[in-house]
Structures are given as structure tokens and as C-alpha cells.
């Protein structure tokens, strides 16, 4: 047993289509607990800072533009092996390659409108959680 936390973002393409409840059901069905959650709208500067790791990639500008098109829901998920469990629950980056039943397979529209973000390792999860949440906003301390 290794209890971890991971950062989830329900992206603008999904909030626009009112998919927050359906995505949260998939998260909870996977055994993950939503221990913090809020809706906000990123500025372009904030989106660029969050995705700085990708700044050399060809898709960086489009990615940041897509992230500011509407509100997002940011969440802290907790559970056994939460980083990998949530990656598995999201499915592959490209919805066309995502397994049936995953969030991206069910709801993703394309590789750039793929409905959710999830941290890729415990270390990045800690950084990404701190980007959005202060200690007082996270339950179950
Ligand atoms: N992305 C894209 N085109 C690509 C690769 C990635 O638009 O060829 C977008 C996509 O929205 C993805 C995000 O950039 O979710 C971050 O990419 P990453 O490789 O970290 O994928 P993820 O961890 O989200 O599966
Ligand atoms: Mg990633």
C-alpha cells in the first residue's frame, strides 16, 4: 500500500460540455478520493507556467490556448498508487488510443481536446498540487 496524491484537471473542453459529474463518477469508481476541488479560469500566463515543461514542444501554444478557453476544475485525488491509478483511469493522451471505459475514450474529442490532465509522477504531483492549492484547502490532513 502506498497512499499517494495526484493533481487532476478537468479541462475547458469537458467543463463546456458539462462533464464534471460524469468524470468525477469515473474518478470515484476507480477508488480515488477527491480531497480538494475548485473551479477557476486560468490566465494565459498561468497556463504557460503550469505547462512550462512542454515549452519547446510544437503543441505548447495551442495547448495553453485551449486551457484558457473556459473554466477548469482542479482537484487533488488521494488513494493507493493514485498517480498510476488516475493515469490508467484517464487513458492514453490521444483518445483514439485510449482503452474503452477510460475518461479520454469516453469523453475526449482529440489529442488536444482530451478532457483531463493527471500528474505523471509523485514528484510532479507534489509540484502541481502546490501550484493550485494551499494547505488549508486540502482536506484529510
Ligand atoms: N498534446 C497535444 N498534442 C500532442 C501531445 C500533447 O495537444 O501531440 C496536449 C494534450 O492535451 C496533452 C497535453 O498536451 O494532454 C500534455 O501532453 P503530455 O504528453 O504531458 O500528455 P498527458 O500527460 O496529458 O497524457
Ligand atoms: Mg503529462
Amino acid at each position: 500500500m502506498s497512499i499517494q496524491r495526484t493533481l487532476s484537471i478537468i479541462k475547458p473542453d469537458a467543463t463546456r460540455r458539462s462533464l464534471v459529474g460524469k468524470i468525477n463518477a469515473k474518478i470515484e469508481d476507480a477508488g480515488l478520493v477527491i480531497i480538494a476541488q475548485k473551479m477557476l479560469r486560468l490566465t494565459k500566463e498561468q497556463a504557460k507556467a503550469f505547462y512550462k515543461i512542454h515549452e519547446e514542444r510544437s503543441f505548447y501554444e495551442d495547448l495553453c490556448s485551449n486551457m484558457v478557453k473556459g473554466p477548469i476544475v482542479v482537484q487533488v485525488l488521494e488513494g493507493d498508487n493514485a498517480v498510476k491509478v488516475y493515469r490508467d483511469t484517464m487513458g492514453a493522451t490521444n483518445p483514439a488510443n485510449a482503452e474503452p471505459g477510460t475518461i479520454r475514450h469516453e469523453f475526449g474529442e482529440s489529442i488536444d481536446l482530451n478532457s483531463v490532465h493527471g500528474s505523471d509522477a509523485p514528484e510532479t504531483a507534489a509540484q502541481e498540487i502546490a501550484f493550485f492549492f494551499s494547505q488549508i484547502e486540502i482536506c484529510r490532513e
Side-chain angles (χ1 to χ4, degrees):
M1 285 276 280
S2 164
I3 298 296
Q4 294 177 340
R5 291 176 177 181
T6 192
L7 182 87
S8 163
I9 305 178
I10 302 178
K11 296 182 178 182
D13 73 86
T15 62
R16 174 173 47 79
R17 290 177 287 145
S18 297
L19 292 170
V20 176
K22 288 185 173 134
I23 290 172
N24 280 353
K26 289 218 177 263
I27 288 168
E28 294 183 338
D29 287 349
L32 296 165
V33 180
I34 301 166
I35 60 166
Q37 174 172 264
K38 61 189 173 185
M39 180 175 271
L40 55 91
R41 204 168 170 141
L42 286 175
T43 64
K44 193 68 173 283
E45 290 65 35
Q46 289 167 336
K48 286 182 151 180
F50 181 77
Y51 277 117
K52 192 165 174 43
I53 191 161
H54 292 311
E55 75 183 331
E56 304 301 327
R57 309 290 294 275
S58 59
F59 56 82
Y60 179 65
E61 284 297 327
D62 286 345
L63 170 61
C64 294
S65 295
N66 284 326
M67 290 301 287
V68 303
K69 282 194 174 141
I72 61 173
V73 174
V74 290
Q75 308 168 308
V76 182
L77 311 182
E78 188 174 76
D80 190 29
N81 211 12
V83 171
K84 181 174 189 310
V85 168
Y86 190 46
R87 296 291 305 186
D88 291 346
T89 304
M90 292 196 304
T93 305
N94 187 345
N97 301 328
E99 293 290 325
T102 61
I103 293 169
R104 284 167 164 170
H105 180 271
E106 302 283 306
F107 306 123
E109 297 184 305
S110 59
I111 191 167
D112 49 338
L113 299 173
N114 60 3
S115 299
V116 280
H117 166 87
S119 308
D120 59 12
E123 299 72 29
T124 44
Q127 291 164 8
E128 291 178 356
I129 289 168
F131 185 94
F132 284 107
F133 290 94
S134 64
Q135 199 76 345
I136 204 167
E137 294 176 297
I138 302 175
C139 308
R140 300 200 169 201
E141 292 298 342

